[in-house]
Amino acid sequence: MNPMRPMSPISQVSPLMNERITAHRMFPGQTAPLGVRKNQEAASRETDGSKSIGFRELLNEKSLHFSSHAAARMRQRGITFQPEQLTEIATAIDRAEAKGAKDSLVLFRDIAMIVNVPTRTVVTAIEGNAMQGSVFTQIDSAVVIS
C-alpha cells in the first residue's frame, strides 16, 4: 500500500472487520428499507389477529376533549351539552380539520368555543351576552353550526 495515495471508499478494508465495505452495502446482514420493514411488521401483526390500533384508541383519538380552563368556564357559565350536540361539534371539527385548520372558532347556537383542532380540545367557551363585543384572536378558521 502506498501511504501517499488515499484509497477510494469503495475498496477500503474496515479496520474492525475483515470484510470489505462497498458503496451499496454499508452494514453486513440482511436489511430492508424502513417502509418495507414497517409493512412487514404490520402484516405479521394482522396475521397474529391483533390490530395496531384498538377501537377505544380510535374513539379517544376522534373524541372531543375539554381543557381544564374550558371545563371551569363552562361550569361557571352553566354551559352543558347533550351527546348529540357533542357529535355535531365533533363533526364541525372534522370539517375544519379537513380544511387544514389549527385553531378554530366554533359557533354553536349561542355558544362560541375556541378549539385546537389537531388535539380536538376545546380551549375556552363563551355563551350568549358574554360574547357581545368580544374579539377572538389567534384563530385561523371559523365553523358555524346552526
Side-chain angles (χ1 to χ4, degrees):
M1 243 194 254
N2 184 352
M4 298 301 285
R5 183 174 157 240
M7 297 179 73
S8 72
I10 295 177
S11 63
Q12 287 182 344
V13 175
S14 170
L16 300 176
M17 299 182 286
N18 289 333
E19 184 177 313
R20 287 197 177 274
I21 297 175
T22 59
H24 67 279
R25 190 175 144 211
M26 297 298 289
F27 300 102
Q30 187 178 21
T31 60
L34 188 58
V36 172
R37 192 174 315 136
K38 284 182 181 178
N39 290 340
Q40 289 170 346
E41 290 170 3
S44 68
R45 277 195 302 262
E46 286 177 9
T47 57
D48 295 342
S50 63
K51 303 254 186 226
S52 60
I53 185 168
F55 176 74
R56 188 162 305 280
E57 289 85 12
L58 182 63
L59 183 63
N60 286 336
E61 181 180 303
K62 288 293 184 182
S63 66
L64 188 61
H65 307 282
F66 293 87
S67 70
S68 57
H69 172 78
R73 291 290 179 255
M74 289 172 64
R75 271 192 307 275
Q76 286 173 351
R77 297 171 179 154
I79 301 171
T80 58
F81 296 111
Q82 299 299 318
E84 57 274 359
Q85 293 172 327
L86 291 173
T87 302
E88 287 181 61
I89 296 167
T91 302
I93 294 170
D94 291 339
R95 290 194 335 248
E97 184 177 40
K99 296 287 187 176
K102 302 294 180 213
D103 292 296
S104 291
L105 170 65
V106 177
L107 297 171
F108 179 73
R109 299 186 182 156
D110 66 336
I111 301 168
M113 295 169 281
I114 302 295
V115 179
N116 180 274
V117 176
T119 62
R120 304 182 67 79
T121 303
V122 176
V123 178
T124 194
I126 303 171
E127 53 96 22
N129 295 331
M131 280 192 291
Q132 296 299 319
S134 294
V135 176
F136 298 98
T137 60
Q138 298 181 357
I139 59 169
D140 59 13
S141 59
V143 183
V144 180
I145 307 168
S146 53

